[in-house]
C-alpha cells in the first residue's frame, strides 16, 4: 500500500493530537472532511492504522518491571506454545524470531519475585525447552513511529 504525503500528514496529526475530531483534522490539513474520512477509512482497511485506543502504562498499572524472555520450543510445538502464551496476562507481546530461541516475549511484572513466578509459569508450559530472561533497566527510546512516518513523507515528496 502506497502512503503519500497527505497520508503522512494525517498520520502525524493522529499521533500528535489523538483526541481531535475528524472535522478539526480536515480544517488543519485544508482538505474536505469527506476526503479526510475516505483516507482514514483506507488507512484502516489497509492495516496502516491498527487502533485508536489509549496507550496504557504497565508501570502505572502496578507492573513496573519489564523483561524480555527468550523461549526455546520443542520442534513442532511453536503454535501450541504461542497459543498458551496468550493466556498469560503478564505477556504483553510475543514474536517468533530467528537466532537464539524461537519466541521473544515482552513481560511485565509487579516486582522481581512476580517476574520469577511468571517465568516459572512459562517454563512449565508443554513444549517449552528453556527460557532466557533479560530485565530492562531503563527505557532509552520510547515506542515511536512518528520519525518513520516523517521519513516516509519525505520520500513521498521526492
Amino acid at each position: 500500500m502506497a502512503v503519500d504525503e497527505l497520508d503522512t500528514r494525517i498520520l502525524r496529526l493522529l499521533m500528535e493530537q489523538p483526541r481531535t475530531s475528524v472535522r478539526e483534522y480536515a480544517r488543519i490539513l485544508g482538505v474536505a472532511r469527506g476526503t479526510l474520512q475516505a483516507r482514514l477509512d483506507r488507512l484502516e482497511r489497509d492495516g496502516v492504522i491498527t487502533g485508536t485506543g489509549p496507550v496504557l502504562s504497565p508501570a502505572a498499572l502496578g507492573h513496573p518491571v519489564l523483561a524480555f524472555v527468550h523461549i526455546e520450543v520443542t520442534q513442532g510445538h511453536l503454535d501450541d506454545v504461542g497459543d498458551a502464551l496468550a493466556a498469560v496476562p503478564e505477556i504483553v507481546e510475543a514474536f517468533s524470531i530467528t537466532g537464539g530461541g524461537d519466541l521473544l516475549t515482552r513481560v511485565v511484572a509487579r516486582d522481581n519475585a512476580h517476574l520469577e513466578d511468571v517465568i516459572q509459569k512459562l517454563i512449565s508450559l508443554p513444549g517449552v525447552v528453556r527460557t532466557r530472561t533479560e530485565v530492562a533497566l531503563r527505557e532509552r527510546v520510547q515506542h515511536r513511529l512518528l520519525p518513520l512516518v516523517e521519513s516516509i513523507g519525505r520520500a513521498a515528496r521526492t
Side-chain angles (χ1 to χ4, degrees), residues 48-90:
V48 175
I49 298 173
T50 59
T52 57
V55 177
L56 305 178
S57 165
L61 291 169
H63 288 67
V65 176
L66 171 63
F68 299 93
V69 180
H70 300 257
I71 302 173
E72 187 177 322
V73 176
T74 305
Q75 277 192 319
H77 291 86
L78 190 61
D79 289 338
D80 297 332
V81 173
D83 292 343
L85 293 177
V88 180
E90 295 86 358

Side-chain angles (χ1 to χ4, degrees), residues 29-128:
L29 294 169
V31 299
R33 185 187 178 289
T35 299
L36 180 67
Q37 189 62 60
R39 293 287 186 121
L40 289 171
D41 292 344
R42 181 179 52 81
L43 290 167
E44 287 179 11
R45 186 177 58 252
D46 292 347
V48 175
I49 298 173
T50 59
T52 57
V55 177
L56 305 178
S57 165
L61 291 169
H63 288 67
V65 176
L66 171 63
F68 299 93
V69 180
H70 300 257
I71 302 173
E72 187 177 322
V73 176
T74 305
Q75 277 192 319
H77 291 86
L78 190 61
D79 289 338
D80 297 332
V81 173
D83 292 343
L85 293 177
V88 180
E90 295 86 358
I91 294 180
V92 295
E93 291 181 299
F95 302 91
S96 299
I97 60 169
T98 63
D102 300 299
L103 293 164
L104 175 64
T105 62
R106 191 172 129 199
V107 177
V108 296
R110 293 184 302 272
D111 52 35
N112 287 345
H114 181 222
L115 176 61
E116 183 180 9
D117 293 342
V118 173
I119 293 166
Q120 290 302 318
K121 187 184 303 185
L122 299 179
I123 291 169
S124 70
L125 293 175
V128 172

